[in-house]
Amino acid sequence: MHPLVNIAVTAARRAGKTIMRKSYRVDQLRFSLKEARDFVSSVDVEAEQQIVETILEAYPNHGIIAEENHSIPGKEYEWIVDPLDGTTNFLHGIPQFCVSIAIRHRGKLAHAVIYDPVREELFTASNGSGAHLNDRRIRASAIQILDYALIGTGFPFRERDSVDLWIDIFRELSKKTSGVRRPGSAALDLAYVACGRFDGFWESGLKIWDIAAGALLVREAGGIITDFEGEQNFLDTGMVVAGNSHLYDDLAQIVERKYKVYSSQKRSA
């Protein structure tokens, strides 16, 4: 395992222990709204602080972009951190959340760690070295047609204006697939694409820390991930469509077609 991944794993496990310890006292936690329907709890803040401390102790000159307001500039190496992806689930006692850490080297995604402390599942990836779940090599699924596919998604809760687009895509995919699921943690959803639990995934309104680690996992597992226009700008746009190499095109064509209609209508409104 690469030394950077070792530190990321150490940081993720440290945060995971805190998250699980506090999960038994959710009713005592302090939390607030960062924006509409987007919660932050005292656990998010504490877990992020632990991750940041672990990173800087090992690599004091590295940059950090973290969800709960840690922004440390760094040119060569940059850590992208979501200390608790799925906070709303966590606060409601729903066991679907994770720690997500990605590392960019000179602007390119190089390493990724996603840790699910409930199931003790550790997803890791390094550019060119494949993706792993608890040290076992993983691959995206082999499902080749949408009729048999299980697709993951997330509601665009930060973007009320794009709910109609989501509904339009869901309406078509619910008829053309074996099912659509919305678990509530985009990072884990992408990890599930990487290990074949989901055959595809789409969502909009995401942030860089929601996407970065999962994106590398998908790529290293043999999957494909783009934005809604088929480009590689998803870290900036927050729009993601991902899938295994067999059915990505079919999924992406539906999402792109619906997005073009939505964008055209929005411009003419």
Side-chain angles (χ1 to χ4, degrees), residues 128-221:
S129 298
H132 297 79
L133 167 54
N134 292 343
D135 297 322
R136 177 178 59 84
R137 184 73 179 263
I138 55 175
R139 297 288 297 176
S141 76
I143 297 296
Q144 298 187 18
I145 57 175
L146 281 177
D147 285 346
Y148 302 142
L150 181 64
I151 306 299
T153 188
F155 303 140
F157 64 91
R158 296 188 184 102
E159 298 180 342
R160 289 182 176 179
D161 292 345
S162 62
V163 170
D164 289 342
L165 169 62
W166 185 91
I167 291 172
D168 206 17
I169 296 171
F170 170 77
R171 183 182 292 112
E172 182 161 348
L173 286 177
S174 65
K175 297 175 183 177
K176 294 184 175 180
T177 65
S178 67
V180 178
R181 301 288 185 268
R182 197 277 183 181
S185 168
L188 268 182
D189 292 341
L190 289 169
Y192 283 9
V193 173
C195 71
R197 293 173 184 170
F198 284 154
D199 305 299
F201 172 79
W202 96 93
E203 188 171 353
S204 64
L206 296 171
K207 302 293 189 181
I208 187 172
W209 43 77
D210 300 319
I211 307 169
L216 186 61
L217 279 164
V218 169
R219 287 175 178 167
E220 289 297 316

Side-chain angles (χ1 to χ4, degrees), residues 8-29:
V9 168
T10 298
R13 289 193 183 279
R14 183 182 176 192
K17 286 181 180 179
T18 294
I19 292 167
M20 292 307 297
R21 187 172 67 250
K22 298 296 179 68
S23 70
Y24 302 106
R25 305 196 299 271
V26 170
D27 59 325
Q28 301 175 25
L29 296 177

Side-chain angles (χ1 to χ4, degrees):
M1 191 178 292
H2 193 282
L4 287 167
V5 177
N6 278 328
I7 295 300
V9 168
T10 298
R13 289 193 183 279
R14 183 182 176 192
K17 286 181 180 179
T18 294
I19 292 167
M20 292 307 297
R21 187 172 67 250
K22 298 296 179 68
S23 70
Y24 302 106
R25 305 196 299 271
V26 170
D27 59 325
Q28 301 175 25
L29 296 177
R30 302 186 309 277
F31 66 91
S32 60
L33 279 171
K34 292 186 289 186
E35 53 185 288
R37 300 168 299 282
D38 193 2
F39 292 98
V40 58
S41 73
S42 55
V43 177
D44 295 73
V45 175
E46 183 176 350
E48 181 171 296
Q49 184 61 41
Q50 291 173 334
I51 293 169
V52 170
E53 288 174 355
T54 302
I55 294 168
L56 294 181
E57 182 178 348
Y59 300 104
N61 297 319
H62 285 194
I64 298 174
I65 299 174
E67 181 174 13
E68 310 308 337
N69 298 320
H70 278 92
S71 181
I72 301 171
K75 293 182 179 180
E76 186 170 9
Y77 287 96
E78 191 172 50
W79 296 64
I80 304 168
V81 176
D82 191 337
L84 176 52
D85 187 58
T87 300
T88 301
N89 281 350
F90 174 80
L91 290 173
H92 287 79
I94 299 172
Q96 183 77 4
F97 47 80
C98 68
V99 181
S100 178
I101 303 173
I103 304 165
R104 285 197 294 199
H105 181 220
R106 296 175 179 170
K108 183 178 181 179
L109 290 173
H111 307 286
V113 169
I114 291 178
Y115 178 52
D116 176 349
V118 177
R119 299 169 185 82
E120 295 189 2
E121 291 188 331
L122 180 69
F123 298 85
T124 59
S126 290
N127 189 31
S129 298
H132 297 79
L133 167 54
N134 292 343
D135 297 322
R136 177 178 59 84
R137 184 73 179 263
I138 55 175
R139 297 288 297 176
S141 76
I143 297 296
Q144 298 187 18
I145 57 175
L146 281 177
D147 285 346
Y148 302 142
L150 181 64
I151 306 299
T153 188
F155 303 140
F157 64 91
R158 296 188 184 102
E159 298 180 342
R160 289 182 176 179
D161 292 345
S162 62
V163 170
D164 289 342
L165 169 62
W166 185 91
I167 291 172
D168 206 17
I169 296 171
F170 170 77
R171 183 182 292 112
E172 182 161 348
L173 286 177
S174 65
K175 297 175 183 177
K176 294 184 175 180
T177 65
S178 67
V180 178
R181 301 288 185 268
R182 197 277 183 181
S185 168
L188 268 182
D189 292 341
L190 289 169
Y192 283 9
V193 173
C195 71
R197 293 173 184 170
F198 284 154
D199 305 299
F201 172 79
W202 96 93
E203 188 171 353
S204 64
L206 296 171
K207 302 293 189 181
I208 187 172
W209 43 77
D210 300 319
I211 307 169
L216 186 61
L217 279 164
V218 169
R219 287 175 178 167
E220 289 297 316
I224 301 171
I225 181 167
T226 67
D227 61 20
F228 283 9
E229 296 181 306
E231 304 295 338
Q232 293 296 308
N233 299 320
F234 48 83
L235 293 180
D236 298 318
T237 66
M239 299 182 295
V240 170
V241 55
N244 71 40
S245 60
H246 305 290
L247 58 74
Y248 163 81
D249 285 344
D250 290 340
L251 174 61
Q253 284 172 11
I254 292 171
V255 173
E256 184 174 351
R257 173 164 44 82
K258 298 293 186 181
Y259 177 67
K260 285 181 178 178
V261 172
Y262 164 80
S263 299
S264 177
Q265 293 174 341
K266 192 173 181 180
R267 286 193 298 269
S268 62

